[in-house]
Amino acid sequence: MDSRYYVENFLQKNGFSEAKADETIIGTSKVLDSSQYIAASRNRLNSGILRNECVVLLNPISNEDHLNDAIFSGISKLRDDQYVLVQQYPEESLWNVYQGFNFNGMMKLIQKKISLEMFLVKRHLANQNKNIPSKAAEEKKQEMQLHSQIIYYGVPGCGKSNTIKEQLKNVPDFNKISVVFHPDYTNAEFIGQIKPKLKNHSVSYEFTPGPFAKILRRAYLNPNQNFYLVIDEINRGQASAILGEVFQLCDRIKPNDDKDEFGYGAGWSVYGIDHDDMNDYIRSISSYLKENHDGCETPVEYTPEDGRGEVSAYKSIDINWPGFGETGKLHFSEITPIRLPPNLSILATMNTSDQNVFTLDNAFQRRFDMELVRNEFAKDDAGNFKTEAVCIQHDAKIAGTETSWSEFWEWANRKMTILLKGLSSTEDKRLGVWFVCNVNGEISEKIFAEKVLKYLWDDAFKFKRPQIFIDGCDTLENLISKFHEVKFGVFKNFGN
């Protein structure tokens, strides 16, 4: 028989607490034995325990008719949003589940021989089904789910990350995950890996999902929502090695292509890959419960391995996926290959000046759309700045001077174009609009000197210093010191 401690602990881990009032509270539970329950049902003073959404009885009831025929009076009457679980099969850790109804206070047996975990899944799915959108609404949503697979590129500070931030500003956190690639980032960290877990003083080895597995699973189980994987600095790490076999999934079925023989249509990966750990994770009941959230809309049917005890993974799940195959239902089993679904977009950023860090070959770039983020102060069709922030950045004064950031930015980039003409990296060397940011309409003299001047000295004009800086600026230290004295006098012919 399950102990009281185990059952209470299990329910708490899955978001249940104990009701403290005389009103039914969703997400509350009370664990007790049947004699306590029967006594409480006749006692208004103790009837608070019956206000929990789930009342869990730890021992069998000899006469189940006692439950079926129970008619409670006053505030003790069970409602249709309450459940009573009775452990009628302690040797198998299985339960019978009753649901309370307003009509005459009658209780109805709705489930026999079910594990606690499976009960929570069915409860969750029942809540989802209350608000399943109409077929027309689903079709409309499906039309909107056109995945994006884009790399936004441009010079440092041109606003690549902000472009994505603005695009996703109204997207809930559950529907997006961000990751930054770097030289030490690995495929195991990106996809997920087997890690040791300490439980009850014993060590077990479990799959710990990475950002890719997490967002992929959410997208699979919620086809009526859009999901986004954001990869910052995609070429700062070895992208092909980090993505590994996932690279193959970035080839998508085109909108005008026919469905393949398995029912996959526009937006799905052309090819699938076998990955047992990700497959198990998608079919995992435990992770499904952990990621339960209010926005989840997808009815999912599970086929269990067996009906006993705690079940962590299921043989198959059937997901109601509008437009999939002929039935609109995706059957996902332990042998189903992994693909990118059409509601999962990948948005990435890449500094053009960093292309020599880890180059993205043509095969990689072919699988992504490329969009240049222009290095300019964004304006609308009428010639006005698109946002107040852009206007403030444009007019921001460099502290201690009357020179605005836009004036210096334009002069410096023009000089690069002239002096670095013929060099393949000329465009990449330009200062980005947001290379430095203002604070209350002003750019700190210290930040300008030690960030902008350092960049111009060490990188942009490294081989053209005599043509840009005045005599006597033979080191960066001298340049910064002189700037604090004479400001833009450190440049030859500033403004021309």
Side-chain angles (χ1 to χ4, degrees):
M1 177 184 296
D2 284 343
S3 68
R4 182 188 301 265
Y5 172 80
Y6 168 77
V7 175
E8 289 177 339
N9 223 19
F10 179 84
L11 292 170
Q12 287 174 8
K13 286 181 178 179
N14 285 283
F16 283 85
S17 60
E18 186 175 335
K20 300 296 184 182
D22 278 345
E23 291 298 322
T24 302
I25 300 176
I26 301 301
T28 59
S29 62
K30 178 67 177 179
V31 180
L32 62 165
D33 61 45
S34 57
S35 60
Q36 291 174 304
Y37 169 76
I38 294 171
S41 71
R42 302 302 184 203
N43 185 343
R44 288 178 62 93
L45 296 178
N46 292 328
S47 60
I49 67 172
L50 300 179
R51 299 301 91 202
N52 291 273
E53 179 188 357
C54 297
V55 178
V56 185
L57 309 187
L58 291 171
N59 58 311
I61 291 181
S62 56
N63 181 8
E64 286 194 73
D65 289 339
H66 182 90
L67 278 174
N68 243 352
D69 295 335
I71 299 178
F72 303 122
S73 60
I75 61 174
S76 296
K77 183 180 293 186
L78 290 170
R79 304 188 328 199
D80 61 359
D81 57 355
Q82 292 178 275
Y83 302 92
V84 176
L85 283 71
V86 184
Q87 193 176 41
Q88 290 292 120
Y89 316 93
E91 68 283 355
E92 299 177 280
S93 297
L94 297 177
W95 307 67
N96 284 352
V97 182
Y98 294 84
Q99 186 172 357
F101 287 85
N102 284 320
F103 181 69
N104 288 333
M106 297 295 291
M107 294 177 63
K108 180 181 179 182
L109 179 64
I110 62 170
Q111 200 70 261
K112 295 192 72 172
K113 292 191 174 183
I114 190 172
S115 68
L116 287 178
E117 195 166 25
M118 192 60 183
F119 163 72
L120 293 182
V121 171
K122 287 184 174 290
R123 164 185 171 270
H124 177 63
L125 296 179
N127 290 337
Q128 293 173 5
N129 286 329
K130 292 177 182 177
N131 298 306
I132 295 177
S134 67
K135 182 177 180 181
E138 287 191 3
E139 289 175 351
K140 184 177 180 181
K141 280 187 177 183
Q142 187 66 14
E143 289 174 3
M144 296 172 60
Q145 291 170 356
L146 300 175
H147 81 278
S148 299
Q149 209 157 268
I150 303 175
I151 295 177
Y152 295 94
Y153 68 97
V155 302
C158 67
K160 300 179 294 296
S161 296
N162 191 64
T163 297
I164 295 177
K165 180 181 177 181
E166 284 297 308
Q167 184 178 338
L168 304 184
K169 64 182 179 181
N170 295 321
V171 174
D173 289 341
F174 180 82
N175 295 68
K176 56 190 176 186
I177 286 181
S178 296
V179 61
V180 179
F181 281 7
H182 57 80
D184 293 329
Y185 197 61
T186 66
N187 174 263
E189 291 173 294
F190 179 63
I191 304 297
Q193 55 193 312
I194 302 295
K195 288 185 176 180
K197 292 284 183 69
L198 181 63
K199 287 184 177 180
N200 299 324
H201 306 292
S202 63
V203 177
S204 62
Y205 291 85
E206 300 177 7
F207 177 70
T208 301
F212 177 78
K214 287 180 180 178
I215 201 70
L216 179 71
R217 186 180 176 286
R218 295 175 192 178
Y220 259 106
L221 295 180
N222 297 280
N224 289 321
Q225 300 180 40
N226 289 325
F227 292 84
Y228 303 88
L229 173 64
V230 178
I231 304 174
D232 265 322
E233 308 285 0
I234 192 170
N235 61 326
R236 296 294 296 178
Q238 292 182 313
S240 295
I242 294 171
L243 266 65
E245 55 195 348
V246 169
F247 172 74
Q248 185 85 340
L249 304 183
C250 294
D251 245 342
R252 307 275 194 130
I253 299 174
K254 304 296 186 293
N256 296 328
D257 291 347
D258 294 331
K259 295 178 182 178
D260 65 16
E261 64 271 30
F262 303 107
Y264 295 98
W268 285 95
S269 298
V270 174
Y271 311 103
I273 62 171
D274 292 324
H275 196 294
D276 292 341
D277 291 327
M278 276 197 291
N279 187 298
D280 288 344
Y281 177 62
I282 290 172
R283 293 179 293 110
S284 167
I285 292 295
S286 295
S287 57
Y288 185 76
L289 292 171
K290 288 176 184 175
E291 290 205 334
N292 177 17
H293 69 294
D294 293 337
C296 193
E297 297 176 346
T298 306
V300 182
E301 298 174 9
Y302 289 82
T303 303
E305 299 277 356
D306 56 50
R308 297 167 179 256
E310 299 239 9
V311 184
S312 60
Y314 278 61
K315 282 187 176 180
S316 65
I317 57 177
D318 288 304
I319 308 170
N320 289 344
W321 196 294
F324 186 86
E326 295 181 357
T327 63
K329 184 168 288 192
L330 169 62
H331 182 72
F332 195 94
S333 71
E334 65 265 40
I335 62 172
T336 301
I338 299 293
R339 301 193 188 207
L340 294 182
N343 62 335
L344 177 56
S345 295
I346 302 177
L347 308 179
T349 66
M350 178 178 76
N351 280 333
T352 50
S353 61
D354 293 336
Q355 289 189 76
N356 60 334
V357 180
F358 291 107
T359 57
L360 302 181
D361 58 32
N362 290 336
F364 192 100
Q365 295 190 50
R366 179 183 66 79
R367 289 167 166 80
F368 285 82
D369 293 330
M370 306 292 289
E371 185 170 318
L372 173 66
V373 178
R374 299 185 180 280
N375 185 29
E376 59 188 17
F377 294 93
K379 295 183 178 181
D380 57 26
D381 294 338
N384 300 314
F385 293 116
K386 284 189 174 180
T387 65
E388 183 181 1
V390 173
C391 180
I392 294 174
Q393 178 74 359
H394 179 276
D395 296 336
K397 294 291 193 243
I398 296 165
T401 76
E402 290 303 314
T403 301
S404 70
W405 167 246
S406 60
E407 290 171 331
F408 178 81
W409 168 85
E410 184 177 356
W411 176 83
N413 286 343
R414 186 173 68 251
K415 284 293 183 182
M416 290 181 205
T417 302
I418 296 171
L419 293 178
L420 306 180
K421 188 175 182 179
L423 298 179
S424 60
S425 60
T426 301
E427 287 191 52
D428 299 341
K429 298 296 185 185
R430 292 175 301 155
L431 286 170
V433 167
W434 301 95
F435 188 88
V436 288
C437 295
N438 74 88
V439 177
N440 298 324
E442 185 176 84
I443 293 173
S444 160
E445 180 179 327
K446 175 179 172 60
I447 289 177
F448 181 88
E450 299 188 10
K451 183 173 181 178
V452 178
L453 293 184
K454 179 182 184 302
Y455 170 70
L456 298 179
W457 179 269
D458 286 342
D459 200 333
F461 296 122
K462 183 176 182 179
F463 302 108
K464 301 289 183 178
R465 291 169 184 166
Q467 289 96 316
I468 288 292
F469 304 108
I470 62 174
D471 296 338
C473 293
D474 51 356
T475 66
L476 176 60
E477 185 175 345
N478 284 344
L479 174 63
I480 292 175
S481 295
K482 283 187 175 294
F483 178 80
H484 288 307
E485 295 174 12
V486 300
K487 302 302 185 282
F488 292 105
V490 298
F491 297 102
K492 289 181 177 178
N493 302 316
F494 175 72
N496 297 324

